[in-house]
Amino acid sequence: MRILLMGDHQIKSRSGYEWLMKAAQRKIEEKYGDLTEKINMIMNIGDQVDVGTLDQYEQIHLFKSQLMSPYLPIMTAVGNHETYNDPGMQRYAAHYHYENLTYQGISSGTENYYAYQAGRILFVVLSTEHTGDAQKEWVRKIVDAAKKDDSVDFIISVNHRPIQAEQYVGDISAWVRNEIIPILSETPKHVLNYGGHHHLYHRGQLTDYPLYHIINGAASWDQMWGMSSEQDYDDVQKTIDYWGYQILEFDFDKKEMKAECYAIGNKELVVDNILIDSFSRTLGKATPEKPEIKEITEEIITLPYTFKGSPYKTTTNEQLNSVQYQFSLNQDFSTIEYNKVRDIEDLYGSTGKPLHIPIDLNENIDITQLTIEKNKLINGTYYVRMRYRDTNMEWSEWSDTRQFTVEGSIAGKPSISITDTSVTPGEAITIDYKYAPEGQNAWIGIYRKGEEPHSVLSYKWKYTPAQSGSMNFTIDETNEYYAVLFEDEGYTEISERIPFYVGPEPQISLEKSKFEEGEDIVVTYSNAPGLKNDWIGIYKRGEVPGTSDTSDSWDYLGGNTEGTLTLAKDLPKGYYFLNYFTLGQYFEPRERVYFSVGKDISSLSTDKTEFSTDEAILIHYKDGPGTPKDWVGVYKDGKDPNVDELDGFYYTYGATEGTVSIKAGTLEPGNYFSALFINDSYDEVSPRIQFTIKDGTGIRQAKNEDGPLFYPNANGSLRIEGNTYETADIFNLAGNCVRRTTLTEGNCTIDFTDLPAGIYIFNFHNGTDNSIVHKVIKK
């Protein structure tokens, strides 16, 4: 069985999705034969449209899929763009009748998320735009049934927002990662998590589960290195800023999944269907052999120090993929001082223009060895262990531990941390502690909020049995608490106080997310703890409760656990959040709810309205929505953002106010308008501003260091001063040489006025040696 993974096409004015489908068709016919016979279905990752209007389903999703849609079924997931202009999902539901799908008699009752079995594969298609307890409980039922179902070998989970991302860091679904993935991964049948939202390719694997996770963002928006906030994560093996698609092939007899990932490049690089990644998973295969850490000959070491593992060994044909080292002050590794996972390759970043070759940060690195740098571990006695993972996602056993002592490093400061600061009554509260004084009856105490240790007995307490470790407490009483570490069986606090909440999770909701100025803000709440002075408050986005920022509107709940609350009608236009707060203070036991008041909330401005091509243009934005992918768009006058290609776009990275800069020479002369758009959509949230760009000096000079100067002439020819080259070959982007010109030494001109407008590559050379290349754009 073979499945094609595609999606995230959303942009009407680009043909990237059609190119990608054509490339996939060519590759499939080259490898397997007839597309209609050799591929069983397409799984689409969402954002089939840019906004959820009826015409966009026709003109974007249906029109752009027509190469394959007559022959292959296409299943879809809800992306964030499907919700724009369709918050009730009525037009999505009119196209996709997934509410009729069931697995083992279990139905979600909604089109927004669903499960279905195809062959021996169970697809669990989630909605990252409709998170909550209902969807989580549905996942629980699906997984419990799948565990016992002998007709299912593989589970693939699908969610538009991914569970990790190395660009636009944090723009992921933490809910799926933290709440749903652990449930799905209770069974080894769960082999792949498929995400989108980001417009590139990414593949990683979770440390705690034999689970691949990929991002497949098709040819719509540009997303290349250097355009966003970026971070290299241990659980991502490669991020490649190319547009691509994946072919999944399943052999049910062998219980094997194979994936091949092909790409067509990005906006600055065209490649012809190149293979950029492949991976596989076979259930039931043997694990690698248990490794050994080479003996540490010194009892006391100083950092830096290199730990070395034994050679990788296995009884299968799988190669080494990952190595994990762990260091602990406890022999049972109940707390970890340092944890490091490295893969055999770490593709992060690229060489940039013109070739955009991915950079492997682990190239020529022996990952079986790990160097701990100076001050990475504090002084103390440690235990170290390590294990190997193969390319089938199977971990070996942990090695036997080695013990060593670090001296000459830094001393550790006592601290505590709490894994989850909001728990239900009776649920375990895990408190990790580090660097507690040993042999001195250090202890952790828990107190109700407002209580002081010298004045009352602790609500709960325990001695710390070691220098570092973790302890569990359970509390049945709904309230706010804090935990703190004490020394010498007394009341001297040697750590920060860590607040936490025990009680039900309050549910709050609004009837809509957009309000008119002066309209009632009616909040419905339930399952509330009903503590004294609990309240619901509204703040503008960007404000921090409990600081100098005061609530824009609020009211007490009077001890009620459910009801409705009408807050002030006089909120000025803006973007807001509301939340539940406990005990008259600022602890938030649940996620915030976001909404807006009024229209044309945000504003843009420039320092002047007329610029030259030699000037940078600063566009200032204010009162923005503050969502991860808000952007400032620039268009030539007369263009329609929903139809036409943009002339420039600049992300705000979640800021509510700031400035974007357009480099001099980026825009050609003409009249332009600019607006602020919300969260990767074409929904304009500011009035448009106008500005004009006029010709500057009229001369743009390209200079090769210690070489000739190149000037464009007004008639379309190229003037060269100080030429030292014999020949110039002109290539088009198809790689064909369209002109060869013999040059004279000194000053000369190349006439190519008869060539059509486009991008050309000029290769200046003397025979085969001493050559330079210039990209020339003829407008």
Side-chain angles (χ1 to χ4, degrees):
M1 184 170 181
R2 296 188 187 96
I3 296 166
L4 183 61
L5 303 183
M6 298 188 73
D8 230 314
H9 36 300
Q10 90 189 68
I11 296 184
K12 181 179 178 182
S13 58
R14 278 190 178 179
S15 300
Y17 196 61
E18 293 98 312
W19 301 339
L20 207 61
M21 274 203 161
K22 195 66 179 176
Q25 180 189 39
R26 285 193 293 110
K27 181 57 64 176
I28 289 164
E29 291 177 348
E30 169 193 318
K31 287 177 65 68
Y32 309 115
D34 185 1
L35 166 81
T36 64
E37 297 294 328
K38 300 302 182 181
I39 297 293
N40 297 86
M41 59 173 282
I42 297 172
M43 185 68 241
N44 190 296
I45 195 53
D47 280 2
Q48 296 94 19
V49 294
D50 203 25
V51 293
T53 56
L54 188 62
D55 62 315
Q56 288 214 346
Y57 280 102
E58 177 183 347
Q59 296 170 8
I60 299 179
H61 180 54
L62 298 177
F63 177 81
K64 290 179 181 291
S65 302
Q66 63 183 307
L67 180 67
M68 295 185 183
S69 59
Y71 317 107
L72 300 178
I74 302 176
M75 306 299 284
T76 66
V78 173
N80 53 299
H81 282 260
E82 273 76 52
T83 68
Y84 300 151
N85 288 338
D86 189 17
M89 304 302 292
Q90 293 178 347
R91 287 181 285 276
Y92 185 86
H95 284 87
Y96 310 117
H97 296 283
Y98 300 137
E99 77 279 9
N100 298 322
L101 291 176
T102 63
Y103 167 70
Q104 295 289 317
I106 304 167
S107 171
S108 69
T110 174
E111 298 84 359
N112 298 336
Y113 50 90
Y114 58 97
Y116 64 97
Q117 185 174 348
R120 301 185 65 83
I121 309 164
L122 174 63
F123 285 85
V124 181
V125 184
L126 306 164
S127 174
T128 54
E129 313 311 301
H130 303 89
T131 60
D133 291 341
Q135 187 174 177
K136 184 176 179 180
E137 182 57 32
W138 168 79
V139 171
R140 162 57 60 202
K141 293 177 182 178
I142 293 290
V143 171
D144 287 346
K147 290 176 185 175
K148 299 178 287 187
D149 188 351
D150 292 336
S151 72
V152 169
D153 291 331
F154 300 98
I155 298 175
I156 296 177
S157 56
V158 181
N159 35 269
H160 177 69
R161 296 178 192 264
I163 62 172
Q164 187 59 285
E166 293 187 324
Q167 293 187 12
Y168 293 101
V169 171
D171 189 14
I172 64 172
S173 177
W175 180 78
V176 171
R177 183 182 179 99
N178 299 329
E179 301 288 334
I180 304 303
I181 292 297
I183 298 174
L184 288 164
S185 299
E186 289 175 3
T187 169
K189 297 178 181 183
H190 187 216
V191 293
L192 176 66
N193 176 260
Y194 171 35
H197 193 57
H198 296 266
H199 306 283
L200 42 66
Y201 175 72
H202 136 145
R203 190 255 291 178
Q205 41 278 332
L206 295 184
T207 303
D208 296 334
Y209 310 111
L211 177 70
Y212 289 107
H213 54 94
I214 67 171
I215 294 176
N216 172 41
S220 52
W221 289 94
D222 306 320
Q223 187 171 329
M224 293 181 290
W225 290 106
M227 292 176 63
S228 68
S229 54
E230 299 165 356
Q231 184 174 338
D232 187 18
Y233 286 107
D234 286 353
D235 58 1
V236 179
Q237 187 162 336
K238 53 182 66 178
T239 297
I240 304 174
D241 58 356
Y242 294 173
W243 296 315
Y245 61 90
Q246 290 75 48
I247 302 171
L248 298 185
E249 182 174 273
F250 294 86
D251 186 323
F252 298 131
D253 291 334
K254 296 179 180 178
K255 292 195 174 182
E256 178 182 71
M257 175 191 75
K258 290 183 177 179
E260 289 188 338
C261 311
Y262 294 91
I264 62 171
N266 56 39
K267 78 164 186 174
E268 294 176 350
L269 175 71
V270 176
V271 296
D272 186 19
N273 236 357
I274 62 171
L275 179 68
I276 59 172
D277 193 23
S278 61
F279 56 91
S280 64
R281 174 91 171 107
T282 303
L283 302 179
K285 248 188 176 182
T287 64
E289 294 183 12
K290 177 181 175 180
E292 179 184 6
I293 299 175
K294 293 186 178 180
E295 185 177 358
I296 303 169
T297 55
E298 305 94 331
E299 288 186 9
I300 299 174
I301 67 172
T302 56
L303 303 179
Y305 185 88
T306 300
F307 296 85
K308 299 179 179 180
S310 58
Y312 167 79
K313 294 181 181 179
T314 182
T315 59
T316 72
N317 61 347
E318 300 292 342
Q319 303 299 307
L320 176 67
N321 191 77
S322 311
V323 178
Q324 183 178 18
Y325 273 89
Q326 287 187 340
F327 298 83
S328 177
L329 294 166
N330 308 94
Q331 195 166 6
D332 63 359
F333 287 81
S334 57
T335 59
I336 305 299
E337 302 305 309
Y338 182 60
N339 177 78
K340 185 63 178 177
V341 179
R342 289 188 297 175
D343 299 322
I344 202 72
E345 58 184 347
D346 180 14
L347 272 57
Y348 178 83
S350 80
T351 58
K353 296 179 181 179
L355 297 180
H356 291 276
I357 298 172
I359 296 172
D360 183 0
L361 300 182
N362 284 350
E363 187 176 11
N364 300 321
I365 291 178
D366 182 357
I367 64 171
T368 67
Q369 301 184 11
L370 179 65
T371 300
I372 301 297
E373 301 296 340
K374 185 177 180 180
N375 296 332
K376 193 71 177 180
L377 299 175
I378 70 162
N379 292 331
T381 298
Y382 290 88
Y383 300 89
V384 58
R385 64 181 182 180
M386 53 97 74
R387 59 178 178 168
Y388 291 155
R389 189 182 218 178
D390 64 20
T391 47
N392 192 42
M393 290 298 95
E394 295 289 348
W395 283 111
S396 69
E397 292 182 55
W398 286 105
S399 68
D400 293 335
T401 61
R402 297 282 189 186
Q403 183 178 339
F404 63 95
T405 299
V406 173
E407 288 188 359
S409 187
I410 56 176
K413 180 181 178 182
S415 66
I416 63 171
S417 61
I418 297 179
T419 305
D420 191 348
T421 56
S422 290
V423 299
T424 57
E427 183 181 353
I429 303 157
T430 301
I431 300 178
D432 297 320
Y433 63 94
K434 289 185 177 182
Y435 317 128
E438 292 188 88
Q440 300 179 36
N441 289 340
W443 60 288
I444 291 176
I446 293 176
Y447 292 83
R448 297 180 183 87
K449 183 173 183 175
E451 294 178 343
E452 288 298 323
H454 291 281
S455 305
V456 298
L457 293 175
S458 62
Y459 186 83
K460 297 262 185 174
W461 71 277
K462 287 182 182 179
Y463 287 123
T464 54
Q467 186 182 64
S468 296
S470 62
M471 293 189 292
N472 289 332
F473 296 84
T474 57
I475 295 176
D476 296 322
E477 178 189 326
T478 295
N479 213 325
E480 261 192 79
Y481 301 86
Y482 68 89
V484 65
L485 178 64
F486 299 90
E487 70 174 355
D488 296 337
E489 206 163 2
Y491 293 100
T492 300
E493 300 178 28
I494 56 175
S495 77
E496 298 290 332
R497 296 180 177 184
I498 306 298
F500 63 96
Y501 164 80
V502 177
E505 180 181 317
Q507 301 299 308
I508 56 176
S509 63
L510 298 171
E511 59 181 7
K512 55 187 177 180
S513 60
K514 295 180 180 179
F515 293 85
E516 301 294 333
E517 291 183 76
E519 190 176 359
D520 286 352
I521 310 294
V522 179
V523 186
T524 301
Y525 64 94
S526 61
N527 200 42
L531 300 174
K532 182 181 179 181
N533 292 336
D534 283 1
W535 57 289
I536 290 176
I538 293 175
Y539 287 86
K540 264 201 168 182
R541 291 201 194 188
E543 293 179 343
V544 180
T547 64
S548 57
D549 298 320
T550 58
S551 172
D552 293 271
S553 182
W554 67 278
D555 202 353
Y556 289 122
L557 302 181
N560 295 319
T561 59
E562 61 181 33
T564 59
L565 192 66
T566 300
L567 296 175
K569 301 178 181 180
D570 56 352
L571 287 176
K573 67 181 182 179
Y575 293 96
Y576 295 88
F577 69 86
L578 69 86
N579 210 349
Y580 193 102
F581 299 87
T582 54
L583 294 173
Q585 296 294 314
Y586 301 97
F587 187 85
E588 300 176 58
R590 54 153 294 120
E591 295 294 320
R592 294 171 175 177
V593 174
Y594 296 92
F595 66 97
S596 63
V597 173
K599 297 176 181 178
D600 292 334
I601 299 167
S602 308
S603 62
L604 296 184
S605 64
T606 53
D607 298 323
K608 53 185 182 178
T609 58
E610 188 173 297
F611 300 86
S612 77
T613 53
D614 299 327
E615 294 180 275
I617 301 170
L618 301 181
I619 300 179
H620 314 288
Y621 59 93
K622 189 176 180 182
D623 295 322
T627 49
K629 287 189 177 180
D630 296 343
W631 57 287
V632 175
V634 177
Y635 293 86
K636 266 199 168 177
D637 274 357
K639 284 190 174 183
D640 180 351
N642 286 295
V643 176
D644 299 316
E645 193 75 27
L646 48 78
D647 294 278
F649 75 98
Y650 310 88
Y651 283 115
T652 65
Y653 306 115
T656 57
E657 62 179 272
T659 300
V660 299
S661 177
I662 305 174
K663 292 181 180 179
T666 302
L667 302 175
E668 62 184 23
N671 297 319
Y672 293 86
F673 71 86
S674 182
L676 182 65
F677 298 80
I678 188 170
N679 203 20
D680 236 2
S681 75
Y682 291 111
D683 188 1
E684 298 179 43
V685 294
S686 75
R688 296 177 178 182
I689 60 168
Q690 307 286 142
F691 60 90
T692 300
I693 299 177
K694 294 188 174 181
D695 265 322
T697 61
I699 297 177
R700 295 188 195 173
Q701 168 185 309
K703 182 179 187 298
N704 189 53
E705 185 146 350
D706 299 323
L709 301 176
F710 300 85
Y711 296 94
N713 292 324
N715 66 354
S717 61
L718 188 69
R719 179 164 53 95
I720 309 172
E721 294 183 3
N723 174 57
T724 58
Y725 295 97
E726 299 172 356
T727 308
D729 292 332
I730 305 176
F731 295 85
N732 61 22
L733 287 187
N736 301 317
C737 183
V738 297
R739 177 74 45 82
R740 168 166 285 188
T741 302
T742 301
L743 304 177
T744 57
E745 189 172 353
N747 298 338
C748 60
T749 298
I750 300 176
D751 184 4
F752 61 112
T753 55
D754 58 323
L755 294 180
I759 300 176
Y760 296 93
I761 305 300
F762 280 56
N763 182 19
F764 298 89
H765 59 90
N766 296 321
T768 58
D769 303 327
N770 188 26
S771 66
I772 62 170
V773 173
H774 278 290
K775 179 175 75 172
V776 176
I777 303 172
K778 182 179 180 184
K779 295 185 178 179

